[in-house]
Amino acid sequence: QPAELTLDVPPDAIDGSLSAVVKLYSIGEIRRLQGDFEGAEDLLRQAHALGRSPHPALALIRLESGKVKLAAAAIDAALAESSHDAMARLHLLGAQVEISLKVGDTARARMATDQLAEMVDEASPPALRADLAYARGRVLLAEGDHGASTRELRTALRLWREVGSAYEIARSRAALSRALRASGDDDDADLEIRAARDEFERLGAKPDLAAVEAELRELEERHASRVQVRMTFLFTDIVGSTRLAEALGNQAWERLLRWHDEMLRAEVVRQGGRIVHSTGDG
């Protein structure tokens, strides 16, 4: 995982200890994260010509370009071809989680996360455990389990700090801010999303920076706008209750009041309302 995205050099300028294929793919991935999709795709195609699959980076370019069906099809095909390459599958499954969540297919994202969990354990390197925690956190958030999502994303953030990957730290912060906000913790959510924005800006991660800034603008607009709520109040009363109580007697009157209250409560609940207060015969 690139710790700095500002690296912008041609493949032949990198130390020869890396193979040409790894050079091409790695710089293509960096350029993708910088938002240079055209330059990234060119490098990934060169890597493919030399025998290295261009995925998941190319599939994620399709996703970020709005071609979600192509992205999903590409990652499915790449996974089908990677049955004997455990490390490749790990990266592909992480991308499948990303793509599935983007299209709203939480079930597929959960399935990919479960497959990741079968390949990663406590003895795995921190980066792999961080990838798993990040995937779990995002899927749990989509499933509505905000508390568990927050715990997993905090774990991912801690592990990425151990690794020292600045981009992944920022990405985990952005995801954590959404989980915190969904849990009602707006203060901590604001801290995390602003820290993520600053780091994305420093790294030159333009797509992530644009997404976070759009999220911040939406939040500011939501806070600034006035919200109007229309409510209808219903007041009830038994007309002539004093005379009626005298005519019926205490026991019959109490039974009538119980029937009156039970009938109204049931009707209010059926209509989606709630009882604010009751006293006497209303």
Side-chain angles (χ1 to χ4, degrees), residues 42-281:
D42 179 59
L43 289 165
L44 293 170
R45 289 189 183 281
Q46 291 181 54
H48 180 252
L50 293 174
R52 203 278 188 204
S53 170
H55 302 298
L58 187 57
L60 291 172
I61 289 174
R62 297 287 179 262
L63 177 68
E64 290 157 1
S65 302
K67 301 173 182 177
V68 292
K69 289 184 178 179
L70 280 176
I75 211 69
D76 287 348
L79 277 166
E81 294 174 1
S82 67
S83 58
H84 302 298
D85 189 338
M87 188 57 65
R89 285 191 67 79
L90 286 167
H91 293 301
L92 290 167
L93 286 168
Q96 188 175 53
V97 172
E98 188 84 16
I99 293 167
S100 299
L101 290 176
K102 187 75 171 182
V103 300
D105 191 346
T106 307
R108 182 174 286 270
R110 165 57 66 186
M111 180 183 67
T113 303
D114 290 344
Q115 290 181 43
L116 270 174
E118 292 174 2
M119 303 173 69
V120 178
D121 56 29
E122 289 301 316
S124 299
L128 297 184
R129 287 183 282 129
D131 271 334
L132 175 59
Y134 179 77
R136 277 176 169 165
R138 297 196 65 210
V139 171
L140 286 163
L141 180 59
E143 292 173 341
D145 193 342
H146 306 146
S149 172
T150 298
R151 289 190 294 274
E152 289 290 344
L153 291 169
R154 287 194 188 281
T155 297
L157 182 56
R158 175 180 57 79
L159 290 168
W160 282 123
R161 282 177 176 147
E162 289 182 19
V163 175
S165 179
Y167 171 75
E168 299 294 349
I169 290 171
R171 191 172 70 154
S172 297
R173 283 187 182 278
L176 177 58
S177 74
R178 297 178 193 114
L180 288 167
R181 202 172 304 280
S183 301
D185 189 350
D186 288 345
D187 285 346
D188 281 352
D190 287 342
L191 289 173
E192 295 296 347
I193 195 170
R194 294 182 191 281
R197 180 197 58 189
D198 293 346
E199 191 64 12
F200 285 141
E201 185 173 23
R202 186 184 73 81
L203 293 169
K206 294 177 183 178
D208 292 282
L209 178 61
V212 166
E213 287 184 336
E215 193 172 339
L216 283 168
R217 284 194 300 273
E218 183 182 343
L219 289 169
E220 289 170 2
E221 289 170 4
R222 193 184 307 167
H223 292 157
S225 62
R226 295 180 61 186
V227 179
Q228 288 188 340
V229 178
R230 186 179 300 275
M231 300 182 72
T232 300
F233 290 86
L234 174 68
F235 298 87
T236 69
D237 182 47
I238 300 177
V239 179
S241 57
T242 302
R243 292 192 300 274
L244 186 58
E246 291 175 352
L248 291 175
N250 288 338
Q251 289 186 348
W253 174 244
E254 290 295 335
R255 287 196 299 272
L256 176 61
L257 281 181
R258 282 196 298 273
W259 169 83
H260 167 267
D261 291 349
E262 289 169 2
M263 180 271 294
L264 279 179
R265 287 180 186 279
E267 186 63 17
V268 167
V269 170
R270 191 176 71 83
Q271 297 291 342
R274 62 190 179 91
I275 301 295
V276 178
H277 184 64
S278 63
T279 182
D281 58 349

